Amino acid sequence: MGEVRKLQKKLRQIENLEIKISLTSEERFKISRKAELRSRLAELQLQLSGPQQTLGIVGDGKKEKMKRQVEDAPEALPSQTPPASKILKGEEESRPRETPAPAARPRKTGGGAETGRRQERTEPAEVSAHSPDVSGGSPDSDNQRLVQQEEAEFSSLQSSWEKAKFRLRLLEGHNDIVTCVVAVDNLVVSGSRDTTVKVWHVPTATEHKNLGGHTGGVTCLSAPPPEYCRRLARSLSLSDKERFILSGSADCYVKIWALSIGQCVKSIYTFNVVTALCFVPEEDGYIITGSDGGKVQAWSWHTFENCQSINAHQEAVTSIQSQGPLVFSGSTEGGVSVWENRCSDQDPLRLLHHWSSEVTGCGGGPGGRVTLSPRGDRVLLAHGRAWLKNLHWRSGTMSRLTNHSSITGVTDCVHQTGGLLIGSCYDVANGESSLNIFSLPQCRYLASLTWPHATRVLCFATWTTGSGDHRWVTGGRDLIVWEQLPSSGKQRGDVTARRDSRLESCSLESEGDTEDDEETDEYEEKDSDEGRDSGCDVTEDGGSASWLRCVLQ
């Protein structure tokens, strides 16, 4: 087991090395040994666990893995099952499924709230078989019907995603890692470490515009809503239909681009490397930026002047998201801050809550990158581990959702859209990548999607067509547009939908140390210590911030 962990650490270090722009001869030699290390790790895992337990974790190559996935794919299910395109109906449909949980809580015999719900899901059929038919119904029978209805709806969703088909189209043009993506109408906008922002026309999968102007890697993008675009367009004597994109870069600039003319209409110098940004559509509008030094700044959309600068975090801000008047920021040390926008000309942000890494449990890892996805009273966090964290930001209560069945799994990004939670999944031990789909709000596992020669997904954006079908875009080494195909059509998709049985039993679990947790934490702590000897130099530039600096340098 000791050699297995040592190999896993080395592979993690190599993955961090590969995203650096310039490499020394020693680093190139380390990278050249990746295939050898993976092969040795596969042998050891087979010896320790046996082939049945390592199926899906260890493979003899991508072709064999994909062949196995196709052979294991489920048969087509009855036609009455609704297609995956009908899954997303907005928050209105996802909320009613939350109602059975409170009434069912008295049935719990231990564990957490979700454990109680899992017990209820298996009990109703047995109970209803022996319960008398009481006229008018009883609270217990009503509750049973609600639970059964919830189970039927979930089974329908799961069946739909097992049949989901997507066509993938590679967008070629960037010559370095794609760090950020956004979707605007029929356009995809991507930012890259190659310093460019590119605009892509989705229906034709062609490059529409190449926006050059940054002198450092592009780290973040944001798209203001149409009404705020119209205000700026009028002041610039442009069409009311003009759309704008914000880009942040390691060159310390935020640039505002007019998409139709492909030009930068405004540059804001921030005096700091910009590592994250978002747009807050409140009152006149605000641009919120985060820096590599942990600073959060607010800028007026009306005057483009700095309204506020706050030393909010100890290390680099890696993610900023807005939700109405609220702003959420996360940093490499694992801290999460929640701000309220008071819509004032000076100091518009007021801190509501700050939860440190001791609460979130997201700090100190080799990845050093926290990605946020807020909704309501909770924020889902991806932080380079095999699981996602769920923070109830008002109370500081934490829970955990397994996103990979091995400790060699890495979650780089998390995204919520309608009734779905999507987490990226990458295995450093074998280089396999997939997207895991969960239903909201219970975060129950639906399916995993993988594709030929899948590379690590570092950024993600989603939108739906007028007919309700999904369109996604993923970025990393490759920039790929996903277009959902009709489930009833004869056209074959490029994506393999499968179900990982090891994730089926996983659900949101309250934070608590188990034997597995302790083993994983011990492994990651040692991994961070050994990182001092790696080419990425984990300790030189602020510990866990090394991932970000490797990307930007």
Side-chain angles (χ1 to χ4, degrees):
M1 184 62 71
E3 186 176 356
V4 169
R5 291 188 176 184
K6 188 176 293 184
L7 289 171
Q8 291 170 343
K9 297 170 191 176
K10 289 181 178 179
L11 287 170
R12 285 180 185 271
Q13 293 166 5
I14 287 174
E15 290 293 336
N16 285 337
L17 286 176
E18 284 191 318
I19 59 177
K20 293 180 67 177
I21 290 179
S22 59
L23 297 172
T24 65
S25 58
E26 181 182 356
E27 291 169 342
R28 290 192 182 94
F29 174 73
K30 289 183 179 181
I31 291 174
S32 69
R33 296 189 59 217
K34 182 167 69 172
E36 174 190 344
L37 295 175
R38 281 179 173 168
S39 177
R40 176 59 181 158
L41 179 60
E43 293 176 4
L44 290 174
Q45 287 178 320
L46 285 171
Q47 293 172 9
L48 293 171
S49 303
Q52 291 184 346
Q53 294 182 20
T54 56
L55 182 63
I57 300 177
V58 179
D60 296 327
K62 287 189 176 180
K63 292 183 179 178
E64 288 77 10
K65 174 62 178 174
M66 293 303 298
K67 180 179 179 181
R68 184 166 63 248
Q69 290 172 349
V70 173
E71 291 173 349
D72 293 342
E75 296 295 329
L77 296 170
S79 58
Q80 63 266 25
T81 302
S85 61
K86 305 305 180 185
I87 292 175
L88 299 183
K89 299 293 186 181
E91 286 299 306
E92 293 77 8
E93 291 193 6
S94 64
R95 286 174 182 165
R97 292 197 290 272
E98 292 181 273
T99 55
R105 282 178 185 167
R107 287 183 171 269
K108 293 191 298 179
T109 58
E114 189 62 30
T115 303
R117 283 195 289 270
R118 287 201 301 272
Q119 293 173 347
E120 294 151 17
R121 289 169 188 139
T122 59
E123 290 176 3
E126 181 180 350
V127 173
S128 61
H130 299 84
S131 299
D133 184 15
V134 181
S135 59
S138 65
D140 284 345
S141 61
D142 290 342
N143 192 48
Q144 291 170 18
R145 283 194 292 269
L146 288 173
V147 172
Q148 290 172 348
Q149 181 181 358
E150 179 184 340
E151 281 300 302
E153 292 174 353
F154 175 76
S155 297
S156 176
L157 294 182
Q158 197 169 51
S159 299
S160 298
W161 279 102
E162 289 175 359
K163 298 193 300 179
K165 296 189 295 184
F166 286 85
R167 179 178 61 176
L168 304 186
R169 288 182 290 178
L170 181 65
L171 304 180
E172 299 182 278
H174 286 297
N175 55 32
D176 212 324
I177 290 174
V178 175
T179 58
C180 45
V181 289
V182 294
V184 180
D185 300 329
N186 280 326
L187 301 175
V188 163
V189 184
S190 58
S192 171
R193 202 170 55 178
D194 64 11
T195 76
T196 66
V197 175
K198 290 185 181 290
V199 184
W200 310 85
H201 187 241
V202 173
T204 59
T206 57
E207 183 178 321
H208 188 59
K209 292 281 193 310
N210 180 37
L211 310 180
H214 283 296
T215 58
V218 178
T219 59
C220 43
L221 296 169
S222 183
E227 58 269 28
Y228 288 89
C229 291
R230 283 193 290 270
R231 297 181 192 178
L232 180 58
R234 293 190 189 104
S235 68
L236 298 173
S237 300
L238 297 175
S239 169
D240 282 351
K241 295 182 180 180
E242 183 64 73
R243 295 303 301 269
F244 297 94
I245 287 291
L246 312 176
S247 63
S249 168
D251 62 9
C252 303
Y253 276 99
V254 172
K255 291 185 179 290
I256 303 174
W257 307 87
L259 294 185
S260 66
I261 59 178
Q263 293 182 5
C264 176
V265 297
K266 185 68 179 178
S267 290
I268 303 174
Y269 188 71
T270 68
F271 296 94
N272 301 278
V273 171
V274 181
T275 53
L277 66 79
C278 74
F279 187 88
V280 180
E282 295 289 324
E283 295 294 334
D284 289 335
Y286 297 84
I287 303 169
I288 310 297
T289 61
S291 78
D292 66 337
K295 184 177 292 185
V296 171
Q297 295 178 287
W299 309 81
S300 169
W301 181 247
H302 178 65
T303 63
F304 302 107
E305 294 180 354
N306 180 245
C307 302
Q308 190 174 14
S309 294
I310 312 165
N311 292 320
H313 296 277
Q314 298 175 4
E315 296 180 14
V317 179
T318 56
S319 184
I320 295 183
Q321 298 289 334
S322 65
Q323 178 181 270
L326 301 178
V327 175
F328 301 80
S329 61
S331 71
T332 57
E333 87 270 5
V336 174
S337 293
V338 184
W339 313 83
E340 180 186 22
N341 181 5
R342 297 178 295 178
C343 300
S344 62
D345 294 335
Q346 293 296 324
D347 299 335
L349 296 181
R350 180 174 69 92
L351 182 64
L352 294 179
H353 296 280
H354 175 79
W355 303 108
S356 66
S357 60
E358 285 77 13
V359 175
T360 65
C362 295
R369 179 173 178 256
V370 171
T371 304
L372 301 170
S373 181
R375 176 167 294 181
D377 288 344
R378 69 179 176 180
V379 185
L380 282 151
L381 311 174
H383 61 116
R385 299 292 192 279
W387 53 82
L388 297 166
K389 291 293 186 73
N390 180 42
L391 168 64
H392 288 265
W393 58 266
R394 295 186 187 274
S395 63
T397 305
M398 294 295 303
S399 54
R400 194 175 82 172
L401 177 66
T402 301
N403 191 50
H404 199 283
S405 52
S406 166
I407 61 173
T408 59
V410 173
T411 304
D412 288 301
C413 53
V414 57
H415 190 86
Q416 297 178 73
T417 174
L420 295 179
L421 167 66
I422 306 171
S424 70
C425 181
Y426 179 76
D427 196 326
V428 299
N430 53 30
E432 295 175 356
S433 186
S434 62
L435 296 177
N436 291 329
I437 314 297
F438 301 85
S439 67
L440 289 173
Q442 297 91 346
C443 295
R444 295 181 64 185
Y445 174 71
L446 292 170
S448 297
L449 306 179
T450 188
W451 58 104
H453 312 296
T455 59
R456 188 172 179 176
V457 174
L458 299 177
C459 51
F460 195 93
T462 66
W463 71 107
T464 54
T465 64
S467 60
D469 292 331
H470 296 281
R471 274 184 176 169
W472 301 343
V473 57
T474 55
R477 289 286 181 188
D478 294 330
L479 181 62
I480 299 175
V481 169
W482 300 51
E483 187 171 3
Q484 188 179 12
L485 301 173
S487 58
S488 58
K490 296 182 179 180
Q491 187 175 355
R492 184 174 181 178
D494 301 320
V495 171
T496 300
R498 59 183 174 83
R499 188 183 299 175
D500 189 337
S501 60
R502 293 161 299 186
L503 294 182
E504 284 185 326
S505 59
C506 296
S507 57
L508 281 175
E509 303 171 349
S510 60
E511 289 284 69
D513 289 333
T514 64
E515 292 182 3
D516 291 339
D517 293 339
E518 292 171 359
E519 180 179 348
T520 303
D521 291 340
E522 178 187 3
Y523 157 74
E524 287 167 347
E525 182 179 352
K526 290 181 180 179
D527 191 26
S528 299
D529 293 338
E530 285 202 13
R532 298 188 182 107
D533 299 327
S534 72
C536 199
D537 200 355
V538 173
T539 61
E540 179 178 336
D541 284 326
S544 59
S546 62
W547 187 94
L548 189 63
R549 288 180 169 82
C550 284
V551 170
L552 299 178
Q553 289 175 353

